[in-house]
Amino acid sequence: RWEARGALGLPEKGKLILFFTFSAGAYTFSELTDNPVKPWTSLRQEILQTLKRVLEAHPDASLIVKAHPQQDDLWDVHREFLDMKLPRSIFMSGAHSSNALISRSDLVLGFQTTALVEAMLLKTPVVYTGWGDEAKRLSAELIPIAQSGACDVPTSAQDFNDIVSRYLGGASPDPHQLAQRRQWVEKFFFQPDGHASRRVLDALHTATSGEI
């Protein structure tokens, strides 16, 4: 079992939003060149601005912004977070377990992280945070999470605001969306039923039977 919220340094009461932030130049081949572009700077800021409005409208909700431990612009992301002065918000990076955070959150948000796929193993609302002209222009280079049918896909900041607010108000993911998750998740995880370790041990037992 995952640790309780308090043991993870999370608020023990109220709705908890988990946002997996991202590098401003992530998911583009330009990261490997001498002149990388940063197409996601404005998107990342727009997401935080919208979440600030959401938090102001929902005083029972708190926010966790989780950065990748190897994020190349980690200091920029942290500075944006501090400058935004988001109420009831915590910034996390480093070795904090994404799985543990997902298991204790009421709503999971992200762009191109496979943490969204992991969140789809649960019935927790999952919202994709990639909209705008740049996302459309670079869609061929992105993991097609937006086309999975397994999560909510806002088309604008206002749409994002409305979707997050609806879930904070008690809504549940659409049944069709939940049904799509199983098919989508199995593109990444074979038989995600919680018994992978048992299957490995059984295979090892079979392979070593009679040899010891």
Side-chain angles (χ1 to χ4, degrees):
R1 299 176 65 89
W2 298 112
E3 299 104 318
R5 281 188 178 187
L8 293 168
L10 307 176
E12 296 186 2
K13 296 181 179 179
K15 296 283 188 177
L16 186 61
I17 306 167
L18 174 60
F19 169 47
F20 287 96
T21 189
F22 46 89
S23 169
Y27 323 123
T28 67
F29 292 116
S30 74
E31 288 183 298
L32 306 177
T33 70
D34 292 333
N35 298 297
V37 297
K38 296 184 177 182
W40 313 123
T41 301
S42 60
L43 174 62
R44 192 171 66 194
Q45 293 173 347
E46 191 172 28
I47 291 168
L48 290 178
Q49 290 166 352
T50 304
L51 288 173
K52 183 176 182 178
R53 293 196 298 272
V54 167
L55 290 166
E56 289 170 346
H58 296 83
D60 62 328
S62 299
L63 172 68
I64 305 300
V65 175
K66 175 67 169 70
H68 193 283
Q70 296 178 322
Q71 196 159 327
D72 58 4
D73 60 351
L74 182 61
W75 293 113
D76 292 335
V77 174
H78 194 205
R79 186 174 62 251
E80 287 175 9
F81 171 83
L82 294 175
D83 290 345
M84 197 68 65
K85 294 181 171 56
L86 295 150
R88 301 178 306 283
S89 299
I90 300 172
F91 186 89
M92 289 186 171
S93 61
H96 291 93
S97 169
S98 295
N99 288 336
L101 295 175
I102 289 170
S103 72
R104 296 305 180 194
S105 298
D106 298 290
L107 179 60
V108 180
L109 320 173
F111 183 26
Q112 283 282 286
T113 174
T114 53
L116 291 186
V117 182
E118 295 171 19
M120 291 176 189
L121 291 166
L122 307 175
K123 294 183 179 180
T124 303
V126 175
V127 182
Y128 182 74
T129 60
W131 61 79
D133 293 338
E134 287 299 310
K136 292 178 182 177
R137 184 177 68 84
L138 296 169
S139 60
E141 299 180 26
L142 303 178
I143 302 170
I145 299 174
Q147 291 76 44
S148 68
C151 61
D152 284 85
V153 184
T155 57
S156 66
Q158 184 59 54
D159 194 24
F160 177 55
N161 179 95
D162 295 345
I163 290 171
V164 172
S165 295
R166 186 174 73 247
Y167 282 128
L168 291 177
S172 299
D174 181 88
H176 177 71
Q177 184 186 114
L178 293 178
Q180 288 291 106
R181 288 188 181 184
R182 178 76 185 195
Q183 180 179 357
W184 175 254
V185 166
E186 287 190 348
K187 293 177 181 289
F188 299 87
F189 303 112
F190 177 70
Q191 292 185 18
D193 55 9
H195 299 293
S197 295
R198 171 51 57 192
R199 286 193 291 273
V200 170
L201 291 173
D202 288 345
L204 289 172
H205 177 73
T206 300
T208 58
S209 294
E211 298 180 6
I212 299 177

